[in-house]
């Protein structure tokens, strides 16, 4: 008699078999007690593939079902009875800091209605590219605690029930709260041995200890391949992110600076060798610094360097050559000839030297030597890429500058030092990846989105801010510590001196003319794992694609846009509060949002790279995420509804007007209509002012009447030729057009929908693409079908296309225009774009949009956010039309040397 397993789909049988593998099949990896120490400095160590533990709970395959086509080679398998124990927690317990990486499950809230199923079926959309066990959407969290405060770390783990395999908002393994005697947490670092008994006593879990070097390399490889702007350079206080070609990542040198220094040659995933090291590292700096300055902490010692002057202690080249350079061998007068060398010739005692000068001299001595030795090892193995990590760096500007100078000097500019935004979490992330089926191996950069909620204010090597529990706790904390507007005292949540990181905002250190360690440190956010995001397949070259048009590395440009966003903030708060009924709770949340977003802006003004590479699109998306964080999910809901209704009321008259024209006049009127209707944008201050001067229809008519060619960018004639041809030669219609729509109301109803209708009339399939989540007054993919259904009541063309595209499912809509014109049954469809921002990064679009693009040969991007702020310079494999009205004077001048309300009609044939 066949067993139940035998009756399952082969893929399900394979998963069940994999899940029951005995642990003795796992390769044993011998553990080293630590990474650095003089006795091991020159001993090569060869790394093997990272150990995969089978200790996690088994998958529950009861009632497992194939989603989609049963014949697919790698179908998606739904596990309805699988508990949320796929969540993991991993730790890196070092001598000074405990680093946590944990995964929280995030359920997909998308609606699977008849319309969506019909659209997916027509597009031939399937999940066949998904792996044979579920890749869960969720969030990867990064948290730090001081090791001396380990009890706070244990309390945090217990409060979120992370030791039970689920986050605070998910079902636990054991509903009765009992302890799983076999529960295991992955851990690395010396503390995994030292505190094993404490974890067993307090949490009832065992620590499964993973090799430190294995974890470091696994963590670094994942970050460098999966995070788009993970690596950066730091020279003379300037930070620049490096775009790495993942196909050319290996080999590289990973320099981990802990108490000592390990130098690891990495040749691939699981392929590495410790090739060198030195016992002069972070421990040396801290030990000597403590003896010479009497500092009580590593961070205190680092802070001294900000006010230090190493020239009072170090012997410089200029001291030897009478203030002159030694140009013959390329040494400037300010180059250090001998660290601490000046103290030899001076009759001073230790107390005669400033601790600040001693700390800086010591820091540079050790950093220079690490940089030099690292480069020499890179030269030895022919490596061009050198990545530095470890607790010694901590995002400290002087440290990174000094290491970078050494590598640049000794390589004569041929090599450069690179640093990692998540460098403090390499070990913990590698330990996380040692879980069997952790789900990260095959994730790509386009499937990871980093967010910066107020509950994750962790920067550099220091612990900042509280691990906040729920929204109410977060708001209470912000009301206590975070001031509003320009009165904010600091840009990042920091722990006041003497606390454990549960305080508020620390007053910034004096700026002076020095580099600031706290400003240079980079924030670590929450990584959202979104497996259904893909690269837009119609991009001509995804590797060179850069979505942002505006370069915010120009500080004046940055300051301008920060001012624009700040000025718009009070009106946005009013709209958000009104959308929630104006209740006291809504007002409190609105106030907290204003504080939070202002804090983000202040943080970014001080350190523009704090959240990674910054573009205008990132700023606008940050605002929307901040709104959602405080549960304002659609601040312009009522305004959008009102404007949609007003526009739909006048749509029939517009369609009659269009149908009375010949095709050439109609096409021009349609493009004019798109440009005119694009004036409705609640994200533009100039447009908001217009709303007070007339009704939506009055403003639309005024805008249309002012349409005069030539426009600022005017490629209409080229587009007209492609659409209508010339003379007797008629072109072949486009097969499928993708229309990226912008605002609700007149913009979509009186602008883009009539254009879509014209394309349908010509036999072109049309896909309307809306936001997945609300952003200002932008129309969403959830709202578009209802708008189309209402519009279809007045138009046979739209009705038939909507029926063919599955937008009208349950009932036929009676024709109201009496048109006898034949319209083929080409479909009108709606898909979501995968984002919730006024802009769009085409490296991260929904899998539905990627499927829709498969047969498309025309892309139309409409609106400032999608066609100007982003994608103005984007190149496509197919024809592309970019339409927008410029509603910002600065943008008009910057991009086109033009004026506000200039129009852009940019047509680019396929590449």
């Amino acid at each position: 008699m066949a067993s139940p397993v035998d009756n399952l789909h082969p893929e399900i049988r394979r998963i069940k078999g994999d899940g029951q593998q005995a642990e003795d099949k796992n390769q044993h990896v011998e553990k080293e007690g630590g990474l650095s120490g003089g006795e091991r400095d020159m001993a090569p160590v060869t790394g093997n593939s990272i150990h995969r533990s089978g200790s996690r709970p088994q998958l529950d395959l009861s009632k497992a079902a194939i989603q989609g086509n049963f014949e697919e080679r790698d179908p998606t398998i739904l596990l309805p009875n699988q508990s949320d124990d796929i969540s993991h927690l991993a730790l890196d317990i070092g001598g000074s800091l405990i680093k946590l990486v944990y995964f929280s499950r995030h359920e997909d809230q998308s609606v699977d209605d008849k319309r969506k199923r019909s659209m997916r079926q027509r597009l031939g959309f399937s999940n066949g590219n998904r792996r044979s066990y579920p890749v869960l959407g969720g969030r990867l969290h990064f948290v730090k605690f001081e090791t001396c405060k380990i009890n706070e770390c244990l309390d945090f783990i217990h409060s979120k029930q992370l030791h039970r395999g689920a986050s605070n908002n998910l079902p636990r393994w054991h509903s009765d709260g009992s302890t799983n005697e076999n529960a295991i947490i992955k851990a690395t670092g010396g503390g995994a041995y030292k505190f094993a008994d404490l974890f067993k006593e307090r949490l009832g879990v065992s620590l499964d200890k993973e090799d430190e070097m294995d974890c470091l390399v696994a963590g670094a490889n994942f970050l460098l391949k999966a995070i788009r702007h993970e690596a950066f350079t730091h020279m003379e206080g300037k930070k620049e992110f490096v775009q790495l070609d993942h196909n050319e990542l290996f080999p590289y040198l990973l320099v981990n600076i802990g108490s000592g220094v390990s130098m690891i040659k990495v040749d691939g995933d699981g392929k590495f060798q410790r090739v060198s090291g030195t016992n002069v590292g972070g421990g040396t700096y801290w030990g000597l610094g403590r003896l010479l300055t009497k500092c009580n902490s590593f961070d205190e010692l680092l802070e001294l360097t900000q006010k230090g002057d190493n020239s009072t202690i170090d012997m410089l080249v200029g001291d030897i050559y009478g203030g002159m350079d030694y140009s013959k061998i390329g040494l400037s007068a300010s180059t250090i000839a001998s660290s601490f060398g000046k103290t030899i010739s001076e009759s001073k005692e230790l107390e005669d030297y400033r601790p600040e000068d001693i700390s800086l001299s010591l820091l540079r001595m050790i950093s220079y030597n690490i940089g030099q030795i690292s480069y020499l090892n890179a030269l030895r193995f022919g490596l061009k890429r050198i990545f530095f990590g470890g607790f010694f760096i901590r995002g400290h500007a002087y440290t990174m500058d000094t290491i970078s100078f050494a590598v640049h000097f000794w390589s004569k500019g041929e090599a450069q030092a690179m640093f990692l935004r998540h460098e403090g979490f390499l070990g913990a992330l590698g330990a996380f990846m040692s879980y069997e089926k952790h789900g990260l191996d095959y994730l790509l950069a386009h499937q990871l989105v980093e967010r910066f909620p107020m509950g994750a204010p962790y920067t550099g090597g220091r612990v900042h801010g509280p691990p906040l529990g729920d929204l109410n706790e977060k708001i209470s904390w912000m009301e206590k510590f975070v001031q509003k507007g320009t009165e904010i005292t600091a840009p990042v949540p920091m722990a006041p001196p003497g606390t454990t990181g549960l305080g508020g905002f620390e007053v910034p250190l004096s700026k002076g003319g020095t580099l600031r360690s706290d400003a240079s440190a980079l924030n670590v956010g929450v990584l959202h794992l979104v497996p259904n995001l893909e690269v837009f397949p119609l991009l001509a070259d995804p590797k060179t694609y850069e979505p942002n048009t505006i370069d915010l590395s120009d500080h004046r440009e940055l300051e301008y846009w920060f001012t624009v966003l700040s000025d718009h903030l009070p009106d946005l708060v009013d709209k958000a509060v009104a959308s929630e009924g104006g209740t006291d709770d809504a007002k409190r949340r609105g106030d907290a949002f204003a504080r939070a977003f202002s804090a983000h802006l202040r943080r970014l003004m001080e350190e523009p790279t704090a959240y990674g590479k910054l573009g205008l699109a990132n700023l606008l998306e940050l605002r929307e995420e901040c709104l959602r964080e405080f549960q304002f999910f659609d601040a312009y809901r009522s305004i959008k509804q009102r404007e949609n209704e007003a526009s739909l009321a006048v749509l029939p008259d517009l369609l009659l007007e269009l149908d009375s024209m010949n095709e050439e006049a109609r096409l021009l009127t349609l493009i004019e209509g798109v440009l005119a209707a694009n004036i409705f944008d609640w994200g533009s201050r100039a447009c908001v002012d217009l709303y007070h001067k007339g009704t939506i229809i009055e403003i639309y008519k005024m805008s249309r009447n002012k349409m005069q060619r030539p426009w600022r960018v005017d490629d209409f004639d080229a587009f007209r030729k492609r659409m209508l041809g010339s003379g007797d030669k008629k072109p072949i219609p486009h097969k499928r057009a993708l229309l990226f729509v912008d605002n609700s109301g007149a913009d979509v109803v009186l602008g883009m929908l009539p254009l879509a209708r014209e394309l349908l009339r010509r036999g072109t399939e049309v896909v309307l693409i809306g936001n997945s989540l609300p952003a200002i007054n932008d129309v969403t993919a959830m709202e578009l079908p209802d708008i189309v259904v209402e519009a279809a009541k007045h138009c046979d063309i739209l009705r038939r296309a909507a029926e063919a595209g599955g937008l009208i499912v349950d009932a036929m809509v009676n024709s109201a225009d009496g048109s006898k014109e034949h319209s083929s049954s080409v479909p009108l469809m709606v898909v979501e774009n995968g984002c919730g921002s006024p802009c769009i990064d085409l490296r991260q679009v929904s899998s539905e949009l990627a499927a829709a693009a498969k047969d498309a040969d025309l892309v139309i991007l409409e609106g400032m956010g999608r066609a100007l702020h982003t994608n103005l310079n984007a190149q496509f494999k197919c024809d592309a039309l970019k339409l927008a009205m410029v509603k910002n004077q600065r943008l008009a001048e910057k991009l086109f040397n033009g004026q506000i309300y200039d129009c852009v009609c940019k047509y680019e044939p396929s590449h």
Side-chain angles (χ1 to χ4, degrees):
M1 181 176 179
S3 70
V5 174
D6 295 331
N7 295 325
L8 296 174
H9 185 281
E11 284 296 328
I12 301 180
R13 289 203 305 271
R14 187 176 66 77
I15 298 173
K16 190 169 183 64
D18 289 347
Q20 295 175 337
Q21 292 293 321
E23 282 218 42
D24 56 12
K25 289 188 177 181
N26 292 317
Q27 182 180 0
H28 173 71
V29 179
E30 184 177 353
K31 308 292 190 295
E32 281 191 313
L35 284 183
S36 54
E39 70 277 8
R40 293 199 315 276
D41 283 339
M42 303 308 293
V45 177
T46 301
N48 298 308
S49 295
I50 194 163
H51 173 70
R52 300 287 189 210
S53 169
S55 61
R56 61 180 298 280
Q58 303 302 307
L59 294 174
D60 183 351
L61 299 182
S62 59
K63 298 186 179 179
I66 300 296
Q67 181 184 35
N69 185 357
F70 191 91
E71 302 300 323
E72 290 174 357
R73 179 177 178 181
D74 295 309
T76 294
I77 297 175
L78 298 181
L79 305 178
N81 295 329
Q82 174 63 38
S83 66
D84 291 300
D85 54 23
I86 291 181
S87 298
H88 294 308
L89 162 69
L91 302 164
D92 179 2
I93 311 176
S96 59
L97 291 173
I98 302 172
K99 283 79 69 177
L100 286 76
V101 172
Y102 71 92
F103 175 83
S104 65
R105 179 81 174 269
H106 178 63
E107 295 290 348
D108 183 5
Q109 300 296 324
S110 62
V111 178
D112 186 25
D113 58 15
K114 290 182 180 179
R115 289 169 173 169
K116 195 161 188 174
R117 287 198 298 272
S118 174
M119 178 275 300
R120 291 164 71 95
Q121 184 177 10
R122 174 168 279 279
L123 293 176
F125 180 80
S126 72
N127 294 315
N129 60 337
R130 298 278 294 278
R131 295 190 300 289
S132 55
Y133 61 89
V135 182
L136 300 178
R139 296 164 186 171
L140 207 56
H141 303 257
F142 300 84
V143 187
K144 290 181 181 179
F145 289 90
E146 296 173 65
T147 305
C148 62
K149 307 292 184 182
I150 191 170
N151 285 325
E152 292 181 6
C153 174
L154 294 170
D155 290 342
F156 176 78
I157 293 172
H158 186 271
S159 69
K160 288 188 171 289
Q161 295 293 303
L162 299 179
H163 59 306
R164 301 186 192 279
S167 62
N168 62 327
N169 59 341
L170 296 173
R172 301 172 183 176
W173 290 355
H174 306 283
S175 58
D176 60 0
S178 60
T179 302
N180 180 1
E181 295 180 358
N182 299 318
I184 287 176
I185 294 176
K186 290 289 187 178
T188 188
Y193 297 86
K194 182 177 179 180
F195 297 110
D197 292 341
L198 183 61
F199 273 80
K200 189 69 174 178
E201 176 187 341
R202 287 284 308 276
L203 301 177
V205 298
S206 300
L207 297 183
D208 188 5
K209 305 165 188 69
E210 293 293 328
D211 181 77
E212 284 188 72
M213 203 172 295
D214 283 351
C215 292
L216 277 173
V217 173
N221 284 347
F222 169 75
L223 291 169
L224 290 170
K225 289 189 291 184
I227 310 298
R228 186 167 283 111
H229 295 118
E230 175 64 24
F232 63 92
T233 60
H234 198 291
M235 285 286 287
E236 298 180 354
K238 186 177 181 181
K239 202 180 279 97
E240 290 188 2
F241 288 93
V242 179
Q243 185 66 51
L244 299 170
D245 186 340
H246 300 162
N247 296 321
E248 298 179 2
L249 174 61
F250 304 111
Y252 67 84
L253 188 70
L254 177 61
V255 182
N256 187 63
I257 312 173
S259 297
V261 183
S262 283
M263 300 178 186
I264 307 164
K265 178 176 177 283
V266 183
D267 293 300
D269 290 323
K271 300 176 183 178
F272 61 88
Q273 182 181 13
R274 185 177 186 275
V275 295
S276 187
T278 172
N279 54 6
V280 179
T284 313
Y285 175 63
W286 172 214
L288 285 176
R290 186 171 179 274
L291 290 173
L292 296 174
T293 68
K294 308 303 181 185
C295 282
N296 294 318
S297 73
F298 190 93
D299 287 324
E300 183 183 351
L301 186 64
L302 279 178
E303 287 180 9
L304 287 178
T305 63
Q306 297 174 62
K307 300 177 183 178
D309 179 4
N310 65 299
S311 65
T312 64
I313 292 178
D314 294 339
M315 183 180 294
L316 309 181
V317 168
D319 296 327
I320 301 174
Y321 293 98
M324 303 292 289
D325 297 339
Y326 191 172
S327 55
K328 185 176 181 180
I329 58 174
L331 297 177
S332 67
S334 61
T335 302
I336 298 174
S338 175
S339 294
F340 287 83
K342 197 170 287 185
T343 63
I344 300 172
S345 58
E346 296 178 339
S347 56
K348 292 182 179 180
E349 299 299 325
L350 178 60
E351 55 270 18
D352 296 324
Y353 292 97
R354 296 171 66 236
E356 293 87 347
D357 301 339
I358 293 173
S359 179
L360 181 57
S361 178
L362 189 60
L363 177 69
R364 289 194 162 172
M365 177 184 76
I366 293 171
S367 299
Y368 275 139
N369 277 274
I370 292 172
Q372 181 181 8
I373 296 171
S374 300
Y375 167 67
L376 292 175
N377 275 283
L379 182 65
R380 171 186 170 198
F381 291 99
L383 307 176
K384 293 294 184 182
R385 288 169 292 280
I386 312 173
F387 299 101
F388 292 84
F391 87 88
F392 175 71
I393 294 173
R394 301 197 179 198
H396 191 262
Y398 276 139
T399 306
M400 294 187 289
D401 260 13
T402 307
I403 291 173
S404 298
F405 177 84
V407 171
H408 183 270
F409 177 84
W410 291 106
S411 70
K412 294 181 172 57
E414 294 185 4
Q416 56 183 182
M418 287 182 278
F419 306 91
L420 305 177
R421 290 188 57 239
H422 293 80
E423 58 87 14
F425 291 95
L426 299 186
L429 187 55
F432 181 91
M433 295 181 70
S434 69
Y435 282 108
E436 186 179 9
K437 294 185 175 71
H438 52 76
L440 298 186
D441 272 338
Y442 303 103
L443 280 173
L444 301 174
H446 59 264
Q447 295 170 318
L448 290 165
V449 181
E450 190 170 16
R451 307 291 187 207
F452 296 90
M454 272 290 145
Y458 306 101
T459 69
R462 302 172 63 185
V463 181
H464 301 303
L468 299 166
D470 55 25
L471 180 62
N472 189 60
E473 183 180 343
K474 181 182 296 188
I475 293 174
S476 298
W477 172 77
M478 296 186 66
E479 288 172 342
K480 184 177 180 181
F481 293 108
V482 186
Q483 299 180 33
K484 286 192 292 186
T486 57
E487 298 176 355
I488 293 176
T489 57
V492 62
M494 294 185 178
T499 74
T500 60
L502 299 179
F505 270 38
E506 188 178 296
V507 177
L509 300 169
S510 59
K511 292 188 177 180
T514 62
L515 292 168
R516 296 178 51 199
S517 62
D518 62 321
S520 180
L522 301 180
N523 290 54
V524 173
V526 176
L527 281 181
H528 290 231
L529 281 60
V530 192
N532 63 342
L533 289 181
E534 298 185 26
V535 177
F536 189 57
L538 294 178
L539 285 175
D541 186 0
K543 288 184 179 180
T544 60
Y545 168 75
E546 169 54 51
N548 288 289
T549 307
I550 303 297
D551 182 8
L552 294 187
S553 61
D554 182 338
H555 195 79
R556 290 172 300 179
E557 200 70 36
L558 187 66
E559 190 171 6
Y560 169 78
W561 287 104
F562 279 5
T563 302
V564 169
L565 292 174
S566 296
D567 290 346
H568 185 241
L569 191 56
D571 183 68
L572 179 57
V573 171
D574 289 344
K575 295 291 189 301
V577 172
S579 73
E580 297 289 319
T583 63
D584 290 341
D585 173 69
K587 292 175 181 177
R588 189 166 178 246
R589 287 187 283 119
D591 179 74
F593 158 71
R595 293 172 188 264
F597 188 58
S598 295
H600 283 305
L601 293 180
R602 286 294 300 269
R603 171 62 176 146
L604 290 169
M605 270 300 292
E606 184 168 75
E607 176 49 73
T609 59
Y611 299 169
K613 187 174 181 180
L614 183 65
L616 186 54
N618 308 105
L619 271 182
L620 297 175
E621 187 171 15
L622 178 65
R623 178 184 61 188
E624 301 304 320
E625 283 296 324
C626 198
L627 276 169
R628 287 188 275 270
E629 182 181 355
F630 293 95
Q631 297 184 5
F632 294 109
F633 299 108
D634 195 353
Y636 287 79
R637 183 191 308 117
S638 59
I639 294 174
K640 290 191 294 182
Q641 184 176 356
R642 185 170 65 247
E643 293 187 356
N644 285 338
E645 292 172 355
S647 301
L648 285 164
V650 300
L651 178 63
D653 290 339
L654 175 62
L655 298 183
L656 286 174
E657 178 189 351
L658 290 168
D659 289 342
S660 68
M661 301 177 182
N662 63 49
E663 61 178 6
E664 187 166 328
R666 187 167 65 237
L667 184 61
L668 175 59
T669 302
L670 285 165
I671 298 302
E672 287 179 339
V674 171
L675 295 172
N678 192 233
I679 196 172
F680 296 99
D681 187 347
W682 280 93
S684 165
R685 170 56 59 186
C687 296
V688 171
D689 292 340
L690 283 177
Y691 280 98
H692 302 298
K693 299 178 182 179
T695 67
I696 184 173
I697 303 305
E698 289 171 343
I699 298 170
Y700 169 71
K701 289 180 178 178
M702 175 199 70
S703 181
R704 262 191 71 181
N705 291 336
K706 290 185 176 181
M707 285 288 124
Q708 291 185 351
R709 297 183 64 198
W711 301 312
R712 180 57 59 177
V713 176
D714 193 339
D715 295 333
F716 173 77
D717 291 339
F719 179 66
R720 178 183 57 196
K721 184 176 180 180
R722 170 61 185 89
M723 290 290 291
L724 307 180
S726 57
D728 296 331
K729 187 177 181 182
K730 294 295 183 182
I732 299 174
H734 290 97
K735 181 178 182 181
R736 177 182 291 169
L738 305 181
L739 275 61
F740 290 78
V741 297
D742 189 10
N743 305 300
S744 294
D747 196 0
V748 64
V749 175
L750 305 180
M752 290 297 278
L753 208 51
L755 178 59
R757 177 179 180 261
E758 182 69 17
L759 290 166
L760 292 166
R761 187 203 298 263
R762 296 177 178 279
T764 299
E765 295 183 1
V766 174
V767 181
L768 299 177
I769 301 159
N771 266 16
S772 297
L773 295 171
I776 317 182
N777 65 318
D778 290 0
V779 66
T780 67
M782 186 70 72
E783 297 160 345
L784 276 170
D786 291 336
I787 294 174
V788 171
V789 168
E790 285 301 310
K793 293 177 180 179
H794 310 287
C795 174
D796 269 348
I797 298 174
L798 289 177
R799 175 178 59 79
R800 292 169 184 163
E803 289 173 353
L807 298 181
I808 302 176
V809 178
D810 299 320
M812 298 288 286
V813 179
N814 294 324
S815 173
D817 61 4
S819 172
K820 302 295 184 181
E821 182 175 345
H822 173 73
S823 173
S824 61
S825 58
V826 291
L828 173 62
M829 296 169 280
V830 171
V831 302
E832 57 181 310
N833 59 18
C835 75
S837 166
C839 303
I840 187 168
D841 182 343
L842 293 173
R843 295 170 299 193
Q844 294 180 307
V845 302
S846 71
S847 50
E848 293 175 358
L849 174 50
K854 182 175 61 175
D855 296 321
D857 50 2
L858 174 63
V859 168
I860 300 179
L861 290 158
E862 184 236 357
M864 282 209 310
R866 295 163 188 82
L868 299 185
H869 290 151
T870 54
N871 301 306
L872 179 63
N873 302 316
Q875 301 292 312
F876 297 93
K877 296 176 182 177
C878 64
D879 293 349
L881 180 65
K882 300 166 187 178
L883 300 169
M885 177 182 284
V886 189
K887 292 154 287 191
N888 178 278
Q889 181 63 39
R890 175 91 167 211
L891 189 69
E893 295 172 356
K894 183 80 175 179
L895 298 183
F896 310 110
N897 194 28
Q899 299 293 323
I900 193 169
Y901 303 130
D902 277 345
C903 291
V904 174
C905 175
K906 186 177 182 181
Y907 174 67
E908 298 163 321
S910 61
H911 282 70

